[in-house]
Amino acid sequence: DSGVTQTPKHLITATGQRVTLRCSPRSGDLSVYWYQQSLDQGLQFLIQYYNGEERAKGNILERFSAQQFPDLHSELNLSSLELGDSALYFCASSVGGAPSSYEQYFGPGTRLTVT
Amino acid sequence: TQLLEQSPQFLSIQEGENLTVYCNSSSVFSSLQWYRQEPGEGPVLLVTVVTGGEVKKLKRLTFQFGDARKDSSLHITAAQPGDTGLYLCAGDGLNTGNQFYFGTGTSLTVIP
């Protein structure tokens, strides 16, 4: 158990819909990262928040947005869903802001299926 | 095009054999990390290499960072079934605007 929690574990929804994925970081961690993992694209970095502020942005689509709240939990919002958005979405947390300097602890992931 | 290319993509070996996984890039990295991911779980950090030419050992696993800090390798000695998993290198390039990249991955199966 990494100490990072993600809900829900599984999500099935239809194209065009909007969903929210939730992540609670390990106690004491200030950074939250979101990743998308699919068979054809591998593990892709989406976005990072550090202490409530956006720190880095990766290959995140405009249809996707995220935020980190004052209690440091984070939500990833996915809208106008397409079949290609079906993937495993991971949240990770670390104590510091530089991902290459601090260990990231990954949650169990949310498996999103868009039908 | 992926910033971090790993080879081989798939590897299936017998228990007791040795193997090497490679992670290559055209970009320079301040450091590189290696993760292992088991099915249905998130990746878990194995090691971070920071200095060009650095070699780190973790039991039967040996990690090396290239002198130019553009590549890394993972060598496993006497592989065991428990080593089975997806191995991923990762890092943030010096000129990638704080983006963090994972490699393409090497899926290792160790047959008892």
Side-chain angles (χ1 to χ4, degrees):
Chain A
D1 185 357
S2 66
V4 178
T5 60
Q6 289 187 247
T7 56
K9 192 168 178 61
H10 300 278
L11 198 48
I12 302 174
T13 189
T15 54
Q17 295 298 306
R18 172 190 169 94
V19 297
T20 297
L21 312 184
R22 183 189 167 99
C23 169
S24 292
R26 288 190 327 150
S27 177
D29 284 358
L30 299 178
S31 272
V32 168
Y33 309 79
W34 286 99
Y35 294 91
Q36 179 193 58
Q37 188 172 38
S38 60
L39 284 175
D40 56 343
Q41 294 290 326
L43 192 58
Q44 298 283 324
F45 167 70
L46 295 179
I47 197 164
Q48 177 198 358
Y49 281 84
Y50 178 74
N51 204 20
E53 300 289 327
E54 181 184 305
R55 186 180 183 276
K57 214 169 195 177
N59 300 320
I60 187 166
L61 299 172
E62 286 191 11
R63 300 184 285 109
F64 297 0
S65 65
Q67 55 183 328
Q68 186 179 29
F69 295 87
D71 68 351
L72 300 179
H73 91 270
S74 179
E75 292 181 356
L76 178 66
N77 300 295
L78 315 176
S79 61
S80 302
L81 286 167
E82 302 175 358
L83 295 178
D85 298 328
S86 296
L88 198 52
Y89 290 84
F90 285 105
C91 166
S93 74
S94 67
V95 62
S100 58
S101 300
Y102 299 93
E103 179 171 358
Q104 293 182 56
Y105 294 85
F106 281 76
T110 293
R111 182 168 294 282
L112 173 67
T113 302
V114 182
T115 62
Chain B
T1 304
Q2 296 278 3
L3 196 64
L4 288 166
E5 294 282 346
Q6 288 184 236
S7 60
Q9 186 177 0
F10 297 97
L11 194 52
S12 180
I13 62 171
Q14 294 290 330
E15 181 176 359
E17 292 183 355
N18 302 331
L19 65 115
T20 302
V21 175
Y22 299 94
C23 172
N24 294 291
S25 178
S26 57
S27 298
V28 176
F29 285 79
S30 57
S31 63
L32 275 179
Q33 298 176 324
W34 284 91
Y35 286 78
R36 186 173 79 193
Q37 183 180 18
E38 298 188 18
E41 299 182 9
V44 175
L45 180 67
L46 296 174
V47 78
T48 301
V49 284
V50 179
T51 307
E54 179 179 4
V55 176
K56 275 192 175 178
K57 291 191 175 184
L58 189 66
K59 296 182 181 178
R60 294 176 294 99
L61 278 60
T62 301
F63 303 86
Q64 185 163 8
F65 199 11
D67 291 340
R69 308 208 317 271
K70 293 183 177 182
D71 56 88
S72 181
S73 64
L74 158 61
H75 182 79
I76 301 179
T77 303
Q80 298 177 0
D83 296 327
T84 293
L86 179 67
Y87 288 82
L88 297 157
C89 60
D92 51 357
L94 287 183
N95 299 302
T96 60
N98 293 329
Q99 285 196 53
F100 194 70
Y101 294 90
F102 274 88
T104 49
T106 294
S107 179
L108 171 65
T109 301
V110 182
I111 303 165

